[in-house]
mmCIF file of all heavy atoms in Angstrom:
data_model
loop_
_atom_site.group_PDB
_atom_site.id
_atom_site.type_symbol
_atom_site.label_atom_id
_atom_site.label_comp_id
_atom_site.label_asym_id
_atom_site.label_seq_id
_atom_site.Cartn_x
_atom_site.Cartn_y
_atom_site.Cartn_z
ATOM 1 N N ILE A 24 12.348 61.167 44.858
ATOM 2 C CA ILE A 24 11.185 61.737 45.551
ATOM 3 C C ILE A 24 10.325 62.594 44.620
ATOM 4 O O ILE A 24 9.116 62.669 44.766
ATOM 5 C CB ILE A 24 11.608 62.537 46.803
ATOM 6 C CG1 ILE A 24 10.394 62.844 47.678
ATOM 7 C CG2 ILE A 24 12.338 63.799 46.422
ATOM 8 C CD1 ILE A 24 10.746 63.353 49.046
ATOM 9 N N TYR A 25 10.961 63.202 43.627
ATOM 10 C CA TYR A 25 10.237 64.103 42.728
ATOM 11 C C TYR A 25 9.565 63.382 41.570
ATOM 12 O O TYR A 25 8.661 63.933 40.938
ATOM 13 C CB TYR A 25 11.195 65.166 42.175
ATOM 14 C CG TYR A 25 11.841 65.972 43.262
ATOM 15 C CD1 TYR A 25 13.174 65.773 43.602
ATOM 16 C CD2 TYR A 25 11.109 66.921 43.978
ATOM 17 C CE1 TYR A 25 13.769 66.500 44.623
ATOM 18 C CE2 TYR A 25 11.692 67.640 45.003
ATOM 19 C CZ TYR A 25 13.027 67.430 45.317
ATOM 20 O OH TYR A 25 13.610 68.136 46.329
ATOM 21 N N ARG A 26 9.982 62.174 41.271
ATOM 22 C CA ARG A 26 9.457 61.438 40.117
ATOM 23 C C ARG A 26 7.958 61.196 40.208
ATOM 24 O O ARG A 26 7.291 61.065 39.190
ATOM 25 C CB ARG A 26 10.172 60.089 39.977
ATOM 26 C CG ARG A 26 11.593 60.213 39.539
ATOM 27 C CD ARG A 26 12.236 58.830 39.412
ATOM 28 N NE ARG A 26 13.608 58.936 39.876
ATOM 29 C CZ ARG A 26 14.317 57.964 40.379
ATOM 30 N NH1 ARG A 26 13.792 56.762 40.523
ATOM 31 N NH2 ARG A 26 15.555 58.155 40.770
ATOM 32 N N GLN A 27 7.429 61.136 41.418
ATOM 33 C CA GLN A 27 6.006 60.834 41.595
ATOM 34 C C GLN A 27 5.103 62.042 41.339
ATOM 35 O O GLN A 27 3.905 61.895 41.171
ATOM 36 C CB GLN A 27 5.771 60.290 42.999
ATOM 37 C CG GLN A 27 6.113 61.286 44.097
ATOM 38 C CD GLN A 27 6.057 60.661 45.468
ATOM 39 O OE1 GLN A 27 5.321 59.718 45.684
ATOM 40 N NE2 GLN A 27 6.841 61.183 46.391
ATOM 41 N N PHE A 28 5.679 63.229 41.312
ATOM 42 C CA PHE A 28 4.873 64.432 41.149
ATOM 43 C C PHE A 28 4.603 64.749 39.681
ATOM 44 O O PHE A 28 5.482 64.585 38.838
ATOM 45 C CB PHE A 28 5.560 65.635 41.802
ATOM 46 C CG PHE A 28 5.690 65.509 43.290
ATOM 47 C CD1 PHE A 28 6.936 65.374 43.884
ATOM 48 C CD2 PHE A 28 4.568 65.508 44.111
ATOM 49 C CE1 PHE A 28 7.082 65.252 45.251
ATOM 50 C CE2 PHE A 28 4.685 65.385 45.488
ATOM 51 C CZ PHE A 28 5.943 65.256 46.062
ATOM 52 N N PRO A 29 3.388 65.239 39.409
ATOM 53 C CA PRO A 29 3.092 65.657 38.042
ATOM 54 C C PRO A 29 4.037 66.799 37.647
ATOM 55 O O PRO A 29 4.398 67.627 38.469
ATOM 56 C CB PRO A 29 1.654 66.164 38.112
ATOM 57 C CG PRO A 29 1.122 65.733 39.425
ATOM 58 C CD PRO A 29 2.287 65.438 40.312
ATOM 59 N N GLY A 30 4.449 66.793 36.415
ATOM 60 C CA GLY A 30 5.327 67.855 35.940
ATOM 61 C C GLY A 30 6.805 67.562 36.090
ATOM 62 O O GLY A 30 7.639 68.358 35.664
ATOM 63 N N PHE A 31 7.147 66.407 36.700
ATOM 64 C CA PHE A 31 8.569 66.076 36.874
ATOM 65 C C PHE A 31 9.286 66.076 35.527
ATOM 66 O O PHE A 31 10.349 66.670 35.378
ATOM 67 C CB PHE A 31 8.731 64.715 37.557
ATOM 68 C CG PHE A 31 10.155 64.219 37.567
ATOM 69 C CD1 PHE A 31 11.098 64.789 38.414
ATOM 70 C CD2 PHE A 31 10.558 63.189 36.725
ATOM 71 C CE1 PHE A 31 12.416 64.339 38.423
ATOM 72 C CE2 PHE A 31 11.870 62.737 36.731
ATOM 73 C CZ PHE A 31 12.798 63.311 37.578
ATOM 74 N N GLY A 32 8.682 65.418 34.552
ATOM 75 C CA GLY A 32 9.298 65.346 33.228
ATOM 76 C C GLY A 32 9.505 66.719 32.624
ATOM 77 O O GLY A 32 10.571 67.042 32.118
ATOM 78 N N TYR A 33 8.477 67.542 32.710
ATOM 79 C CA TYR A 33 8.563 68.879 32.119
ATOM 80 C C TYR A 33 9.529 69.780 32.884
ATOM 81 O O TYR A 33 10.404 70.401 32.307
ATOM 82 C CB TYR A 33 7.177 69.516 32.067
ATOM 83 C CG TYR A 33 7.215 70.973 31.677
ATOM 84 C CD1 TYR A 33 7.435 71.336 30.357
ATOM 85 C CD2 TYR A 33 7.062 71.974 32.624
ATOM 86 C CE1 TYR A 33 7.508 72.671 29.989
ATOM 87 C CE2 TYR A 33 7.124 73.306 32.263
ATOM 88 C CZ TYR A 33 7.344 73.648 30.949
ATOM 89 O OH TYR A 33 7.414 74.964 30.598
ATOM 90 N N LEU A 34 9.358 69.851 34.187
ATOM 91 C CA LEU A 34 10.154 70.794 34.981
ATOM 92 C C LEU A 34 11.626 70.397 35.115
ATOM 93 O O LEU A 34 12.501 71.254 35.076
ATOM 94 C CB LEU A 34 9.547 70.944 36.380
ATOM 95 C CG LEU A 34 8.187 71.621 36.433
ATOM 96 C CD1 LEU A 34 7.619 71.555 37.843
ATOM 97 C CD2 LEU A 34 8.289 73.065 35.974
ATOM 98 N N ILE A 35 11.891 69.120 35.265
ATOM 99 C CA ILE A 35 13.264 68.673 35.493
ATOM 100 C C ILE A 35 13.902 68.175 34.202
ATOM 101 O O ILE A 35 14.925 68.700 33.747
ATOM 102 C CB ILE A 35 13.322 67.570 36.575
ATOM 103 C CG1 ILE A 35 12.665 68.038 37.877
ATOM 104 C CG2 ILE A 35 14.755 67.104 36.790
ATOM 105 C CD1 ILE A 35 13.313 69.228 38.541
ATOM 106 N N LEU A 36 13.298 67.159 33.611
ATOM 107 C CA LEU A 36 13.922 66.518 32.465
ATOM 108 C C LEU A 36 13.927 67.392 31.216
ATOM 109 O O LEU A 36 14.934 67.488 30.527
ATOM 110 C CB LEU A 36 13.253 65.175 32.187
ATOM 111 C CG LEU A 36 13.238 64.194 33.363
ATOM 112 C CD1 LEU A 36 12.560 62.891 32.975
ATOM 113 C CD2 LEU A 36 14.646 63.935 33.878
ATOM 114 N N ASP A 37 12.820 68.048 30.944
ATOM 115 C CA ASP A 37 12.767 68.897 29.747
ATOM 116 C C ASP A 37 13.607 70.156 29.890
ATOM 117 O O ASP A 37 14.036 70.732 28.898
ATOM 118 C CB ASP A 37 11.321 69.260 29.399
ATOM 119 C CG ASP A 37 10.513 68.054 28.935
ATOM 120 O OD1 ASP A 37 11.135 67.020 28.609
ATOM 121 O OD2 ASP A 37 9.280 68.137 28.907
ATOM 122 N N SER A 38 13.842 70.590 31.120
ATOM 123 C CA SER A 38 14.664 71.791 31.312
ATOM 124 C C SER A 38 16.102 71.543 30.865
ATOM 125 O O SER A 38 16.795 72.463 30.432
ATOM 126 C CB SER A 38 14.627 72.253 32.771
ATOM 127 O OG SER A 38 15.256 71.316 33.600
ATOM 128 N N LEU A 39 16.558 70.312 30.939
ATOM 129 C CA LEU A 39 17.899 69.987 30.440
ATOM 130 C C LEU A 39 17.964 70.221 28.930
ATOM 131 O O LEU A 39 18.930 70.788 28.420
ATOM 132 C CB LEU A 39 18.250 68.534 30.764
ATOM 133 C CG LEU A 39 18.414 68.203 32.239
ATOM 134 C CD1 LEU A 39 18.427 66.689 32.445
ATOM 135 C CD2 LEU A 39 19.682 68.827 32.781
ATOM 136 N N ALA A 40 16.920 69.800 28.226
ATOM 137 C CA ALA A 40 16.882 69.992 26.776
ATOM 138 C C ALA A 40 16.805 71.477 26.430
ATOM 139 O O ALA A 40 17.434 71.935 25.471
ATOM 140 C CB ALA A 40 15.696 69.247 26.172
ATOM 141 N N LEU A 41 16.061 72.233 27.209
ATOM 142 C CA LEU A 41 15.970 73.674 26.952
ATOM 143 C C LEU A 41 17.326 74.349 27.111
ATOM 144 O O LEU A 41 17.600 75.365 26.481
ATOM 145 C CB LEU A 41 14.937 74.319 27.883
ATOM 146 C CG LEU A 41 13.482 73.923 27.627
ATOM 147 C CD1 LEU A 41 12.569 74.484 28.708
ATOM 148 C CD2 LEU A 41 13.031 74.392 26.250
ATOM 149 N N GLY A 42 18.175 73.768 27.932
ATOM 150 C CA GLY A 42 19.523 74.293 28.121
ATOM 151 C C GLY A 42 20.535 73.650 27.176
ATOM 152 O O GLY A 42 21.738 73.770 27.379
ATOM 153 N N ASN A 43 20.031 72.970 26.145
ATOM 154 C CA ASN A 43 20.891 72.273 25.176
ATOM 155 C C ASN A 43 21.843 71.280 25.844
ATOM 156 O O ASN A 43 22.998 71.158 25.471
ATOM 157 C CB ASN A 43 21.671 73.260 24.310
ATOM 158 C CG ASN A 43 20.772 73.953 23.318
ATOM 159 O OD1 ASN A 43 19.900 73.326 22.725
ATOM 160 N ND2 ASN A 43 20.970 75.245 23.149
ATOM 161 N N MET A 44 21.333 70.582 26.837
ATOM 162 C CA MET A 44 22.098 69.551 27.523
ATOM 163 C C MET A 44 21.454 68.204 27.201
ATOM 164 O O MET A 44 20.384 67.889 27.734
ATOM 165 C CB MET A 44 22.094 69.794 29.031
ATOM 166 C CG MET A 44 22.686 71.122 29.441
ATOM 167 S SD MET A 44 24.442 71.201 29.130
ATOM 168 C CE MET A 44 25.034 71.279 30.779
ATOM 169 N N PHE A 45 22.090 67.447 26.331
ATOM 170 C CA PHE A 45 21.539 66.162 25.905
ATOM 171 C C PHE A 45 22.471 65.001 26.245
ATOM 172 O O PHE A 45 22.017 63.957 26.643
ATOM 173 C CB PHE A 45 21.252 66.167 24.402
ATOM 174 C CG PHE A 45 20.269 67.218 23.995
ATOM 175 C CD1 PHE A 45 20.698 68.405 23.436
ATOM 176 C CD2 PHE A 45 18.913 67.026 24.193
ATOM 177 C CE1 PHE A 45 19.791 69.379 23.062
ATOM 178 C CE2 PHE A 45 17.992 67.998 23.827
ATOM 179 C CZ PHE A 45 18.437 69.186 23.254
ATOM 180 N N PHE A 46 23.761 65.185 26.039
ATOM 181 C CA PHE A 46 24.762 64.152 26.314
ATOM 182 C C PHE A 46 24.256 62.781 25.872
ATOM 183 O O PHE A 46 24.045 61.889 26.678
ATOM 184 C CB PHE A 46 25.149 64.156 27.792
ATOM 185 C CG PHE A 46 25.809 65.433 28.229
ATOM 186 C CD1 PHE A 46 25.091 66.398 28.930
ATOM 187 C CD2 PHE A 46 27.136 65.681 27.934
ATOM 188 C CE1 PHE A 46 25.699 67.572 29.338
ATOM 189 C CE2 PHE A 46 27.746 66.857 28.332
ATOM 190 C CZ PHE A 46 27.028 67.805 29.035
ATOM 191 N N ARG A 47 24.086 62.623 24.579
ATOM 192 C CA ARG A 47 23.469 61.425 23.993
ATOM 193 C C ARG A 47 24.488 60.321 23.723
ATOM 194 O O ARG A 47 24.847 60.060 22.578
ATOM 195 C CB ARG A 47 22.766 61.803 22.700
ATOM 196 C CG ARG A 47 21.598 62.722 22.887
ATOM 197 C CD ARG A 47 20.936 62.996 21.539
ATOM 198 N NE ARG A 47 19.805 63.869 21.692
ATOM 199 C CZ ARG A 47 19.722 65.078 21.127
ATOM 200 N NH1 ARG A 47 20.701 65.535 20.377
ATOM 201 N NH2 ARG A 47 18.645 65.812 21.314
ATOM 202 N N ASN A 48 24.925 59.673 24.764
ATOM 203 C CA ASN A 48 25.824 58.533 24.573
ATOM 204 C C ASN A 48 25.205 57.502 23.640
ATOM 205 O O ASN A 48 25.883 56.931 22.784
ATOM 206 C CB ASN A 48 26.143 57.862 25.910
ATOM 207 C CG ASN A 48 27.198 58.586 26.694
ATOM 208 O OD1 ASN A 48 28.098 59.199 26.133
ATOM 209 N ND2 ASN A 48 27.091 58.514 28.006
ATOM 210 N N ASP A 49 23.907 57.244 23.813
ATOM 211 C CA ASP A 49 23.234 56.222 23.015
ATOM 212 C C ASP A 49 23.272 56.535 21.523
ATOM 213 O O ASP A 49 23.441 55.639 20.701
ATOM 214 C CB ASP A 49 21.807 55.967 23.500
ATOM 215 C CG ASP A 49 20.968 57.226 23.680
ATOM 216 O OD1 ASP A 49 21.473 58.351 23.472
ATOM 217 O OD2 ASP A 49 19.788 57.081 24.047
ATOM 218 N N GLU A 50 23.139 57.795 21.151
ATOM 219 C CA GLU A 50 23.208 58.175 19.740
ATOM 220 C C GLU A 50 24.658 58.215 19.256
ATOM 221 O O GLU A 50 24.948 57.835 18.125
ATOM 222 C CB GLU A 50 22.526 59.526 19.511
ATOM 223 C CG GLU A 50 21.032 59.497 19.751
ATOM 224 C CD GLU A 50 20.308 58.510 18.851
ATOM 225 O OE1 GLU A 50 20.627 58.432 17.643
ATOM 226 O OE2 GLU A 50 19.423 57.781 19.366
ATOM 227 N N ASN A 51 25.551 58.668 20.097
ATOM 228 C CA ASN A 51 26.957 58.783 19.697
ATOM 229 C C ASN A 51 27.604 57.434 19.437
ATOM 230 O O ASN A 51 28.348 57.279 18.470
ATOM 231 C CB ASN A 51 27.748 59.563 20.745
ATOM 232 C CG ASN A 51 27.331 61.023 20.817
ATOM 233 O OD1 ASN A 51 26.807 61.582 19.854
ATOM 234 N ND2 ASN A 51 27.557 61.642 21.948
ATOM 235 N N VAL A 52 27.340 56.452 20.293
ATOM 236 C CA VAL A 52 27.992 55.146 20.112
ATOM 237 C C VAL A 52 27.509 54.439 18.851
ATOM 238 O O VAL A 52 28.211 53.559 18.333
ATOM 239 C CB VAL A 52 27.857 54.216 21.348
ATOM 240 C CG1 VAL A 52 28.511 54.839 22.570
ATOM 241 C CG2 VAL A 52 26.415 53.817 21.610
ATOM 242 N N LYS A 53 26.363 54.814 18.334
ATOM 243 C CA LYS A 53 25.860 54.219 17.097
ATOM 244 C C LYS A 53 26.734 54.590 15.905
ATOM 245 O O LYS A 53 26.719 53.911 14.889
ATOM 246 C CB LYS A 53 24.427 54.677 16.821
ATOM 247 C CG LYS A 53 23.389 54.107 17.754
ATOM 248 C CD LYS A 53 22.026 54.665 17.407
ATOM 249 C CE LYS A 53 20.958 54.192 18.361
ATOM 250 N NZ LYS A 53 19.651 54.799 18.033
ATOM 251 N N VAL A 54 27.477 55.672 16.034
ATOM 252 C CA VAL A 54 28.282 56.198 14.936
ATOM 253 C C VAL A 54 29.745 55.784 15.065
ATOM 254 O O VAL A 54 30.455 55.655 14.070
ATOM 255 C CB VAL A 54 28.158 57.749 14.912
ATOM 256 C CG1 VAL A 54 29.046 58.358 13.853
ATOM 257 C CG2 VAL A 54 26.707 58.158 14.712
ATOM 258 N N LEU A 55 30.205 55.572 16.295
ATOM 259 C CA LEU A 55 31.623 55.297 16.516
ATOM 260 C C LEU A 55 32.056 53.970 15.900
ATOM 261 O O LEU A 55 31.263 53.043 15.767
ATOM 262 C CB LEU A 55 31.932 55.280 18.018
ATOM 263 C CG LEU A 55 31.674 56.572 18.781
ATOM 264 C CD1 LEU A 55 32.054 56.394 20.244
ATOM 265 C CD2 LEU A 55 32.426 57.737 18.162
ATOM 266 N N ALA A 56 33.344 53.912 15.540
ATOM 267 C CA ALA A 56 33.919 52.685 14.991
ATOM 268 C C ALA A 56 35.151 52.256 15.775
ATOM 269 O O ALA A 56 35.646 51.147 15.588
ATOM 270 C CB ALA A 56 34.276 52.887 13.521
ATOM 271 N N CYS A 57 35.658 53.116 16.660
ATOM 272 C CA CYS A 57 36.860 52.795 17.434
ATOM 273 C C CYS A 57 36.517 51.808 18.545
ATOM 274 O O CYS A 57 35.354 51.643 18.908
ATOM 275 C CB CYS A 57 37.454 54.072 18.030
ATOM 276 S SG CYS A 57 36.401 54.886 19.247
ATOM 277 N N PRO A 58 37.536 51.146 19.108
ATOM 278 C CA PRO A 58 37.277 50.267 20.247
ATOM 279 C C PRO A 58 36.576 51.027 21.387
ATOM 280 O O PRO A 58 36.921 52.178 21.667
ATOM 281 C CB PRO A 58 38.670 49.811 20.667
ATOM 282 C CG PRO A 58 39.480 49.891 19.421
ATOM 283 C CD PRO A 58 38.941 51.103 18.701
ATOM 284 N N LEU A 59 35.591 50.382 21.977
ATOM 285 C CA LEU A 59 34.789 50.988 23.041
ATOM 286 C C LEU A 59 34.744 50.040 24.224
ATOM 287 O O LEU A 59 34.345 48.881 24.092
ATOM 288 C CB LEU A 59 33.368 51.256 22.528
ATOM 289 C CG LEU A 59 32.349 51.788 23.526
ATOM 290 C CD1 LEU A 59 32.729 53.197 23.991
ATOM 291 C CD2 LEU A 59 30.951 51.802 22.909
ATOM 292 N N LEU A 60 35.167 50.548 25.378
ATOM 293 C CA LEU A 60 35.133 49.773 26.620
ATOM 294 C C LEU A 60 34.211 50.481 27.596
ATOM 295 O O LEU A 60 34.402 51.663 27.899
ATOM 296 C CB LEU A 60 36.541 49.659 27.221
ATOM 297 C CG LEU A 60 36.658 48.993 28.597
ATOM 298 C CD1 LEU A 60 36.153 47.550 28.558
ATOM 299 C CD2 LEU A 60 38.109 49.052 29.079
ATOM 300 N N ILE A 61 33.218 49.759 28.077
ATOM 301 C CA ILE A 61 32.264 50.299 29.048
ATOM 302 C C ILE A 61 32.489 49.594 30.374
ATOM 303 O O ILE A 61 32.476 48.359 30.448
ATOM 304 C CB ILE A 61 30.813 50.115 28.559
ATOM 305 C CG1 ILE A 61 30.601 50.874 27.242
ATOM 306 C CG2 ILE A 61 29.821 50.564 29.625
ATOM 307 C CD1 ILE A 61 29.255 50.628 26.581
ATOM 308 N N LEU A 62 32.705 50.385 31.422
ATOM 309 C CA LEU A 62 32.961 49.872 32.771
ATOM 310 C C LEU A 62 31.834 50.316 33.699
ATOM 311 O O LEU A 62 31.460 51.496 33.694
ATOM 312 C CB LEU A 62 34.288 50.430 33.304
ATOM 313 C CG LEU A 62 35.520 50.275 32.423
ATOM 314 C CD1 LEU A 62 36.683 51.097 32.977
ATOM 315 C CD2 LEU A 62 35.896 48.816 32.296
ATOM 316 N N HIS A 63 31.324 49.392 34.498
ATOM 317 C CA HIS A 63 30.264 49.766 35.441
ATOM 318 C C HIS A 63 30.342 48.878 36.675
ATOM 319 O O HIS A 63 30.544 47.670 36.558
ATOM 320 C CB HIS A 63 28.887 49.619 34.794
ATOM 321 C CG HIS A 63 27.959 50.720 35.157
ATOM 322 N ND1 HIS A 63 27.431 51.597 34.228
ATOM 323 C CD2 HIS A 63 27.470 51.125 36.334
ATOM 324 C CE1 HIS A 63 26.654 52.472 34.831
ATOM 325 N NE2 HIS A 63 26.655 52.198 36.122
ATOM 326 N N ALA A 64 30.201 49.465 37.830
ATOM 327 C CA ALA A 64 30.152 48.714 39.085
ATOM 328 C C ALA A 64 28.707 48.315 39.368
ATOM 329 O O ALA A 64 27.786 49.119 39.191
ATOM 330 C CB ALA A 64 30.708 49.554 40.233
ATOM 331 N N GLU A 65 28.530 47.080 39.810
ATOM 332 C CA GLU A 65 27.185 46.582 40.116
ATOM 333 C C GLU A 65 26.543 47.347 41.278
ATOM 334 O O GLU A 65 25.321 47.376 41.391
ATOM 335 C CB GLU A 65 27.222 45.089 40.425
ATOM 336 C CG GLU A 65 27.538 44.222 39.225
ATOM 337 C CD GLU A 65 26.485 44.273 38.127
ATOM 338 O OE1 GLU A 65 25.297 44.538 38.423
ATOM 339 O OE2 GLU A 65 26.857 44.054 36.964
ATOM 340 N N ASP A 66 27.355 47.961 42.128
ATOM 341 C CA ASP A 66 26.814 48.691 43.274
ATOM 342 C C ASP A 66 26.801 50.206 43.046
ATOM 343 O O ASP A 66 26.774 50.979 44.002
ATOM 344 C CB ASP A 66 27.585 48.351 44.550
ATOM 345 C CG ASP A 66 29.053 48.731 44.485
ATOM 346 O OD1 ASP A 66 29.610 48.791 43.373
ATOM 347 O OD2 ASP A 66 29.655 48.964 45.550
ATOM 348 N N ASP A 67 26.754 50.623 41.795
ATOM 349 C CA ASP A 67 26.680 52.054 41.481
ATOM 350 C C ASP A 67 25.304 52.572 41.892
ATOM 351 O O ASP A 67 24.292 52.194 41.312
ATOM 352 C CB ASP A 67 26.915 52.270 39.988
ATOM 353 C CG ASP A 67 27.059 53.735 39.601
ATOM 354 O OD1 ASP A 67 26.477 54.600 40.285
ATOM 355 O OD2 ASP A 67 27.758 54.005 38.609
#
């Protein structure tokens, strides 16, 4: 519901970065060399 409002990116998404919350799975997996198993349900 909030995605349509101006400022959503700044107020919600950027506030995570200001709190040093990034959780960059995409960057981390680029470095890993161990076996990696990703599980996802189609109805998530």
Side-chain angles (χ1 to χ4, degrees):
I24 193 168
Y25 302 106
R26 290 180 218 153
Q27 62 188 332
F28 295 113
F31 171 74
Y33 171 76
L34 293 173
I35 305 298
L36 304 180
D37 292 345
S38 67
L39 293 166
L41 292 173
N43 288 319
M44 300 292 247
F45 300 100
F46 297 101
R47 295 182 180 118
N48 280 328
D49 50 358
E50 294 300 318
N51 293 336
V52 299
K53 289 178 183 177
V54 176
L55 299 181
C57 65
L59 175 66
L60 174 61
I61 299 173
L62 308 170
H63 220 117
E65 291 296 333
D66 62 334
D67 188 331

